[in-house]
Amino acid sequence: DHEGIVCQLLPTIPCSKSNGPFTLKCSCESIGLQRTLCTSAVRRQETAASTTSSAKTSRDSSIFPPIIGEESSLRWGGKKFEELPIAHVKATYNNTHIQLTESTGQSMVRTSCGTEGFKNIKKSTPIAAQTAGISAAAKATAKGVKFVRVVVKGLGPGRLSAIKGLTMGGLEVISITDNTPVPHNGCRPRKARRT
Amino acid sequence: MSRHLRFIARTVMVQNGNVDEAYKILNRILTHDGVIDAVKRKRYYEKPCRERQRKNFENCRRIYHSEMARKITFISVTNREDPWLGC
């Protein structure tokens, strides 16, 4: 069931039209390098050979996110990395919440396992998280969102399946961040369970 | 991380639509950095005496494992110069 991930990303098609859904800018640079070629006027129109070869090299080397300086030349749907909407996934041990916000922080869509009709123990399952992800993605695509960066918080059962649900529902996940709060010995947690 | 290094720290880009791969990479990075055990441990309070015992145990375990690995690699070397050559 999980193998049927719909890969919305078009395989490295040479993007020769300027208003395609996936306009790949000249991405022949790695993160730290600045080459004048990439900041030249030729941005969206590129020849097939150079696009595929440079696309391959950039895809292989860019596991790190583009730093929010002036160097990045990657665009998703015409937007820079820092302008894309964010999907916050809060995976607690009893439930999973998914909230889609703009890059400014304005909330667009909010779903959770509870809003999908699951109750009590069924909310703390990966399947419930997946349905929540699918419904969140459906609502988001209705608002015209395509590319999204995911921020996960917490170690719960729905941590991975919520992201999978987002992809299955039609959104395109471009980066995964982990924002699990780890206190530097702040508040004292509850006492140890004895089972 | 909340406001510091937002989308710089603990972030992995998804390549070619491989969300599973990216998640695995992220998980591996987090376990190597000890973030996942720290979160699991801080779920319930660990008393200082238990913490000292655990640290001691982990130290001993680390020493034991490294020594054992060293011993195994030493023993599993097959091509050695003959120590009794010339006798």
Side-chain angles (χ1 to χ4, degrees):
Chain A
D1 186 24
H2 289 293
E3 292 308 305
I5 294 175
V6 175
C7 187
Q8 297 285 331
L9 188 68
L10 303 170
T12 55
I13 289 180
C15 181
S16 53
K17 38 189 203 279
S18 58
N19 51 351
F22 180 59
T23 56
L24 182 63
K25 291 217 170 191
C26 174
S27 44
C28 58
E29 64 169 14
S30 56
I31 298 301
L33 295 177
Q34 278 208 6
R35 297 197 197 156
T36 51
L37 179 63
C38 299
T39 55
S40 66
V42 177
R43 290 209 161 192
R44 292 174 201 257
Q45 301 277 348
E46 279 204 272
T47 62
S50 68
T51 317
T52 43
S53 61
S54 56
K56 279 215 182 93
T57 49
S58 85
R59 284 290 168 258
D60 289 341
S61 64
S62 66
I63 219 166
F64 300 109
I67 307 178
I68 313 183
E70 301 299 324
E71 305 169 1
S72 81
S73 55
L74 300 169
R75 298 284 182 273
W76 291 270
K79 294 192 183 173
K80 285 198 217 182
F81 184 72
E82 51 264 24
E83 295 160 16
L84 289 167
I86 313 173
H88 292 270
V89 171
K90 180 173 181 179
T92 57
Y93 294 100
N94 290 330
N95 201 343
T96 313
H97 304 256
I98 302 180
Q99 180 165 36
L100 252 111
T101 72
E102 298 277 354
S103 58
T104 52
Q106 287 241 303
S107 165
M108 295 196 290
V109 170
R110 201 158 80 166
T111 11
S112 78
C113 300
T115 58
E116 298 307 300
F118 293 94
K119 299 232 182 270
N120 298 333
I121 202 173
K122 307 232 179 61
K123 293 189 295 191
S124 56
T125 48
I127 303 160
Q130 195 179 318
T131 42
I134 295 177
S135 98
K139 291 183 190 175
T141 43
K143 294 202 174 184
V145 173
K146 280 195 217 69
F147 298 96
V148 88
R149 16 176 199 161
V150 171
V151 172
V152 197
K153 198 179 267 205
L155 294 177
R159 203 166 123 109
L160 173 60
S161 42
I163 315 177
K164 279 220 193 129
L166 287 175
T167 23
M168 282 169 62
L171 279 183
E172 186 65 51
V173 170
I174 55 153
S175 79
I176 309 180
T177 329
D178 177 271
N179 197 9
T180 320
V182 57
H184 300 327
N185 288 355
C187 303
R188 179 170 168 146
R190 55 159 291 183
K191 66 179 183 182
R193 293 179 74 213
R194 292 177 300 282
T195 45
Chain B
M1 306 214 205
S2 190
R3 289 294 149 194
H4 319 291
L5 302 179
R6 210 166 178 228
F7 292 105
I8 301 179
R10 303 195 247 170
T11 307
V12 166
M13 303 294 282
V14 167
Q15 303 193 351
N16 299 331
N18 251 341
V19 175
D20 288 334
E21 198 58 46
Y23 184 77
K24 263 193 222 166
I25 293 172
L26 181 67
N27 240 359
R28 193 184 315 140
I29 294 176
L30 292 174
T31 36
H32 281 325
D33 292 344
V35 175
I36 305 257
D37 330 305
V39 169
K40 279 194 198 145
R41 209 179 304 131
K42 292 202 186 293
R43 190 179 172 195
Y44 303 112
Y45 183 64
E46 184 183 28
K47 292 188 180 173
C49 67
R50 304 281 301 162
E51 186 183 345
R52 269 178 265 128
Q53 289 172 357
R54 177 185 52 90
K55 282 209 156 80
N56 216 355
F57 169 75
E58 275 174 12
N59 266 341
C60 299
R61 191 162 161 264
R62 185 174 301 128
I63 294 172
Y64 177 82
H65 282 327
S66 63
E67 288 296 313
M68 184 56 93
R70 217 174 118 230
K71 179 176 182 178
I72 289 175
T73 46
F74 177 74
I75 289 178
S76 60
V77 167
T78 44
N79 273 347
R80 271 206 201 102
E81 28 183 88
D82 188 5
W84 305 107
L85 189 62
C87 297

